[in-house]
Amino acid sequence: MSLKIYEIDEEYTKYLYTIDKRVCLEHKDRQTRKFVGVVLSINNINYYAPLSSPKPKHLKMQNSQIDIIKIVNGEYGIINLNNMIPVSNNAVTVINIDKIVDIKYANILRKQARFLNTNEEKIYKKTIKLYNMIIKKRANKKLICRCCDFKLLEAKYKTWQHNKLHIKSHDLSR
């Protein structure tokens, strides 16, 4: 299975943000930068982990931090595991990098995608380790404060998913 880069439904992230303020919201300038991430499966639940564009601070960050993964030593950004959120398939869309007009941005996304697939096993190991530390409350207070409340968001994601399906089926029956 290859990892892909996804865009996430803005309505969904806004909904989860009302529950947990650590949930990342859409970029203000949506025309030039998409809000992108990778989808990882943990305990039969898909999680969307946002990717961050390269910033000078990423080069200085410790790769040993459990809640982030530096992409090519931070040159191409990071994966924010601390901000990952449960997500259903109907709330994410695969990004077609070939259709992105901004060549520089498209090249960054290609390099991020290449890194994701080359390091898929390492990414999963770190993701599951972080998830378990937070769920089982085995992390220090600083780390818990940086991470989304995975358990709470899982419960709310199921409610949102149920409501979306109920609304769709109601619309179809008209």
Side-chain angles (χ1 to χ4, degrees), residues 42-45 47 66 81 84 86 124-139 143 147-151 154:
I42 305 170
N43 297 333
N44 296 318
I45 295 176
Y47 264 84
I66 187 74
L81 297 178
M84 66 182 178
Y124 264 104
K125 280 182 181 176
K126 200 168 185 179
T127 302
I128 291 166
K129 184 177 180 179
L130 173 68
Y131 176 85
N132 287 328
M133 286 173 71
I134 297 302
I135 293 294
K136 295 174 181 173
K137 306 227 184 283
R138 292 191 179 140
L143 180 58
C147 291
C148 290
D149 186 335
F150 304 142
K151 268 289 190 225
E154 281 179 15

Side-chain angles (χ1 to χ4, degrees), residues 3-51:
L3 296 176
K4 294 177 175 62
I5 296 178
Y6 293 83
E7 198 173 0
I8 192 163
D9 182 298
E10 189 176 356
E11 177 188 332
Y12 179 65
T13 56
K14 284 179 180 177
Y15 164 72
L16 289 183
Y17 183 78
T18 65
I19 297 154
D20 187 340
K21 298 298 182 221
R22 292 166 290 202
V23 171
C24 292
L25 294 175
E26 189 74 42
H27 289 295
K28 289 174 181 70
D29 187 5
R30 191 163 190 208
Q31 305 312 34
T32 57
R33 289 177 62 205
K34 294 179 178 292
F35 185 49
V36 300
V38 60
V39 174
L40 306 161
S41 182
I42 305 170
N43 297 333
N44 296 318
I45 295 176
N46 284 337
Y47 264 84
Y48 173 87
L51 301 178

Side-chain angles (χ1 to χ4, degrees), residues 71-89:
I71 302 173
V72 189
N73 298 317
E75 259 183 78
Y76 297 106
I78 62 172
I79 305 170
N80 290 301
L81 297 178
N82 57 317
N83 297 121
M84 66 182 178
I85 54 175
V87 68
S88 61
N89 291 341

Side-chain angles (χ1 to χ4, degrees), residues 1-6 37-42 46-49 51 69 71 79 81 94-95 97 109-125 127:
M1 179 176 126
S2 70
L3 296 176
K4 294 177 175 62
I5 296 178
Y6 293 83
V38 60
V39 174
L40 306 161
S41 182
I42 305 170
N46 284 337
Y47 264 84
Y48 173 87
L51 301 178
I69 296 174
I71 302 173
I79 305 170
L81 297 178
V94 175
I95 291 180
I97 299 171
L109 289 176
R110 279 189 189 90
K111 288 176 181 168
Q112 288 176 331
R114 197 170 306 123
F115 175 87
L116 293 171
N117 287 294
T118 303
N119 296 280
E120 183 175 2
E121 190 176 324
K122 277 192 236 176
I123 292 167
Y124 264 104
K125 280 182 181 176
T127 302

